[in-house]
Amino acid sequence: CWEVRKRNSSEWCRFVQTNPDCQLEGGFLDYLNGVFCVFPTRLLPLAVTLYACWLLYLFIILGVTAEKFFCPNLSAISTNLKLSHNVALTPRGAASLAFSLTSPLHGVTFLAFGNGAPDVFSAVVAFSDPRTAGLAIGAVFGAGVFVTTVVAGGIALVKPFTAASRPFLRDVIFYMVAVFLTFMVLYFGRITLGEALGYLGLYIFYVFTVVLCTWIHRRQRGDGLAPPGPWEPELLTDTEDRESLGTSSGDYGEEYRPLLPYQETSLRILAAALSPVDYRKWRRKPCYWRLFKVLKVSERRVQPARGARSPHGPRSRPSSQVPVELLLLLTVPVVDPDKEDLNWKRPLNCLHVVTAPLLCILTLKSGAYGLYQIQGVFPVWALVVLVGAVAAVLVFSTTSNEEPPKYHCVFAFLGFLASAMWINAAATELVNILRTLGIIFQLSNTVLGLTLLAWGNSIGGKGGPGPRRNPGYPRMAFSACFGGIIFNILVGVGLGCLLQMTGGQMVVKLEPDSLLVWILAGALGLSLVFSFVAVPAQCFQLGKAYGVCLLLYYLAFLCVALLTEFRVIRLAAP
């Protein structure tokens, strides 16, 4: 399909429509047909600009869905499974410097899956088509280089700290093993069923190692609350935790304290749950603050005033609600175990009984199953709406606004499934539009993966608490840089290739398409070796010198990668 740009512009549309290699797998939009057939040739820059904006929006969809909907439901599921709560870290892309107080098993399974969902889904979608496998390889390696250099170096630059020694050494060793396995797979140009299962088995062994090391460490400490050592992040107090989340118990002030207890109506609860802004705070803020909130895509947890208790607990509202967030609220239930009412919103949750299954059936295989007609007469989506409506009426008639039902945990599983379908749909569109941009600009999938896809998934549109607010943040964030992306490479490559082994094909070809793949793999391995040697050499005391070295290393790698892509650097002909 790359040949399209080498032809006369009058032949672009016919070439794209008749060339089988130009047919995109899955997705709702045909981006190649749009740019080469719908838009006139002179408007190609406009089409590229629109595609770039849509690409940015897709990254926002991935980040918001994973952070606000996917992870909370996974947390509720883990709570329902009776997992204990102690110090552990969230492994998502680490660019947000995020943290969590959960069990080690929770941190390396549920939270790793939740926080790494955009990366893993993107890799699985890219591996599903041999033409886009380079995107997955570039993203997996590119995100690894970006996070272990730019993000880790940025943490050290912001505030010097003492790294968590034992988790750091453990995670770097496992990560180097994973990179070596991937290097060998690329060297032989194929991955077998046993090797794909080996990726998943290695992650299971990593989870077992984390749990075992934590158990041994607790036994050594006697299960007491001894002061944390340099290998363990500090616990946060409740006050620090609230401050780190940017919340304040006095947001509303005395004027908004209810004088008498009251019960909100179902219509008011639904309107409040879907309200785009908090009008109480909006009216008290200056114009520049309002403008900033309109431009910002984020969500803040709003707490009632101290001593004033809302019958539905603290509300989580988007400060700026773009259309996709409204669709997410309408289609994805969220169970929040940290709230007193578990985020039970009776009218909205009853609506979710209809919309969540409808979303799943319409996004599965790009709507192919949802539009299928039973006996050629009755569409499947209509049957789903009918059954969901009956179930919603039953739920509404057997529950109350004030107290969640005993089966409320079922909504966590429903929300998990619905948010996963959202992420999968967004990842499919993301891979397709990146392939389209690669054809337009004559760029390889590998360079698109190591730049746009890696940057977008690593940053994820999130901004977490800054490392200056608590001494434990830099250690936790730095550990997440190496521990979190182990899940992405092992599960992303292993599961992506495993799902491609269908129809008796037990081998997947992963042949490197250029010298850039080897530069990418070597750069990631070299960065890990550098940190593995440099961090212990500094007695785990990391400062600005270490951060500057990592940033300079990434800039040098990026220059070499781009020069290789544009054939300035190339292998000499034999």
Side-chain angles (χ1 to χ4, degrees):
C1 194
W2 273 37
E3 300 295 327
V4 65
R5 291 302 305 276
K6 298 179 181 179
R7 295 176 177 266
N8 190 283
S9 59
S10 60
E11 301 177 3
W12 285 356
C13 182
R14 184 170 57 88
F15 181 85
V16 167
Q17 291 177 342
T18 57
N19 190 345
D21 190 56
C22 294
Q23 305 304 313
L24 299 176
E25 294 292 333
F28 294 92
L29 300 176
D30 190 343
Y31 298 101
L32 284 171
N33 186 74
V35 74
F36 291 117
C37 297
V38 177
F39 284 90
T41 306
R42 64 180 181 277
L43 294 182
L44 181 62
L46 175 62
V48 171
T49 302
L50 294 177
Y51 279 14
C53 294
W54 177 233
L55 178 68
L56 176 62
Y57 201 62
L58 286 172
F59 280 123
I60 293 175
I61 293 174
L62 285 174
V64 171
T65 307
E67 180 185 3
K68 308 297 182 184
F69 298 87
F70 196 77
C71 287
N73 282 315
L74 279 177
S75 179
I77 292 173
S78 66
T79 300
N80 187 62
L81 295 178
K82 310 296 184 183
L83 292 178
S84 61
H85 289 251
N86 284 293
V87 177
L89 46 89
T90 58
R92 167 75 172 124
S96 62
L97 311 184
F99 74 96
S100 175
L101 300 181
T102 50
S103 71
L105 181 61
H106 185 188
V108 296
T109 53
F110 285 98
L111 286 174
F113 183 34
N115 289 320
D119 312 78
V120 173
F121 274 95
S122 299
V124 169
V125 171
F127 274 124
S128 64
D129 186 350
R131 297 172 298 178
T132 57
L135 272 176
I137 297 172
V140 167
F141 281 144
V145 178
F146 179 79
V147 171
T148 57
T149 56
V150 175
V151 178
I155 296 169
L157 280 176
V158 170
K159 184 176 182 179
F161 63 98
T162 302
S165 57
R166 298 188 208 179
F168 169 78
L169 295 175
R170 176 197 66 212
D171 294 342
V172 170
I173 291 173
F174 269 96
Y175 198 14
M176 286 193 294
V177 172
V179 171
F180 177 75
L181 289 178
T182 309
F183 185 88
M184 295 303 297
V185 165
L186 292 174
Y187 178 78
F188 289 107
R190 59 179 175 78
I191 180 170
T192 63
L193 176 62
E195 291 168 340
L197 293 175
Y199 272 88
L200 301 179
L202 181 59
Y203 187 74
I204 294 174
F205 180 63
Y206 169 70
V207 172
F208 173 77
T209 304
V210 171
V211 175
L212 180 63
C213 291
T214 304
W215 179 79
I216 294 175
H217 177 54
R218 287 177 178 171
R219 287 292 298 264
Q220 292 176 346
R221 289 176 53 188
D223 282 329
L225 293 178
W231 57 84
E232 181 180 0
E234 295 179 356
L235 277 167
L236 302 178
T237 64
D238 292 339
T239 303
E240 291 170 332
D241 186 31
R242 287 195 301 268
E243 290 177 354
S244 68
L245 293 173
T247 61
S248 172
S249 59
D251 278 345
Y252 295 158
E254 299 289 335
E255 59 179 310
Y256 296 118
R257 287 189 180 184
L259 298 177
L260 296 173
Y262 69 98
Q263 292 183 352
E264 292 182 308
T265 62
S266 297
L267 185 60
R268 185 178 179 87
I269 294 173
L270 180 62
L274 299 176
S275 176
V277 295
D278 179 5
Y279 74 94
R280 296 173 177 176
K281 180 177 290 188
W282 182 270
R283 58 180 290 194
R284 296 169 52 225
K285 294 296 183 178
C287 294
Y288 67 85
W289 183 91
R290 299 179 188 182
L291 178 62
F292 174 73
K293 287 300 179 183
V294 170
L295 297 176
K296 182 182 177 185
V297 181
S298 65
E299 181 177 298
R300 285 191 59 184
R301 188 178 300 276
V302 180
Q303 302 285 348
R306 189 181 300 275
R309 201 164 148 190
S310 171
H312 300 284
R315 294 175 185 166
S316 180
R317 297 180 183 171
S319 54
S320 171
Q321 191 117 357
V322 293
V324 68
E325 290 180 285
L326 180 59
L327 289 175
L328 284 166
L329 287 173
L330 287 171
T331 55
V332 183
V334 178
V335 178
D336 192 344
D338 296 329
K339 292 185 179 181
E340 188 175 344
D341 65 346
L342 303 178
N343 198 41
W344 168 249
K345 301 291 185 289
R346 182 189 176 207
L348 183 59
N349 289 140
C350 290
L351 182 62
H352 287 150
V353 176
V354 179
T355 57
L358 180 63
L359 167 79
C360 295
I361 197 66
L362 289 179
T363 54
L364 188 63
K365 291 292 182 180
S366 302
Y369 293 139
L371 299 178
Y372 177 77
Q373 293 187 342
I374 303 174
Q375 299 294 328
V377 177
F378 199 71
V380 173
W381 68 264
L383 177 63
V384 171
V385 171
L386 184 61
V387 174
V390 173
V393 171
L394 292 176
V395 172
F396 190 84
S397 59
T398 57
T399 57
S400 64
N401 291 333
E402 291 73 28
E403 186 178 355
K406 294 181 179 180
Y407 53 83
H408 190 215
C409 62
V410 176
F411 284 88
F413 291 91
L414 182 62
F416 162 76
L417 181 61
S419 55
M421 296 305 296
W422 263 101
I423 293 174
N424 182 67
T428 302
E429 299 299 319
L430 188 67
V431 169
N432 286 341
I433 197 172
L434 282 175
R435 180 168 181 258
T436 301
L437 292 176
I439 292 173
I440 294 174
F441 292 107
Q442 299 290 282
L443 296 174
S444 67
N445 288 329
T446 304
V447 76
L448 289 171
L450 74 91
T451 53
L452 296 180
L453 190 55
W455 295 340
N457 280 340
S458 296
I459 297 174
K462 299 194 301 182
R468 290 185 183 273
R469 295 186 180 178
N470 187 279
Y473 284 170
R475 286 198 295 272
M476 288 183 285
F478 185 77
S479 297
C481 290
F482 296 92
I485 46 182
I486 293 177
F487 176 86
N488 299 344
I489 186 172
L490 291 179
V491 178
V493 176
L495 185 61
C497 294
L498 191 63
L499 293 178
Q500 197 177 339
M501 295 178 184
T502 56
Q505 182 184 1
M506 294 294 102
V507 176
V508 176
K509 292 184 178 181
L510 290 179
E511 297 178 357
D513 53 3
S514 66
L515 174 64
L516 183 58
V517 175
W518 301 112
I519 293 177
L520 189 54
L524 178 56
L526 187 59
S527 71
L528 292 175
V529 171
F530 172 75
S531 292
F532 184 71
V533 174
V535 173
Q538 300 176 81
C539 299
F540 299 93
Q541 302 288 333
L542 304 182
K544 294 184 177 180
Y546 174 74
V548 169
C549 289
L550 289 181
L551 293 179
L552 292 177
Y553 178 85
Y554 185 78
L555 290 176
F557 152 74
L558 198 58
C559 290
V560 173
L562 293 178
L563 290 175
T564 304
E565 172 65 18
F566 295 112
R567 289 177 166 69
V568 177
I569 299 177
R570 55 185 174 180
L571 291 175

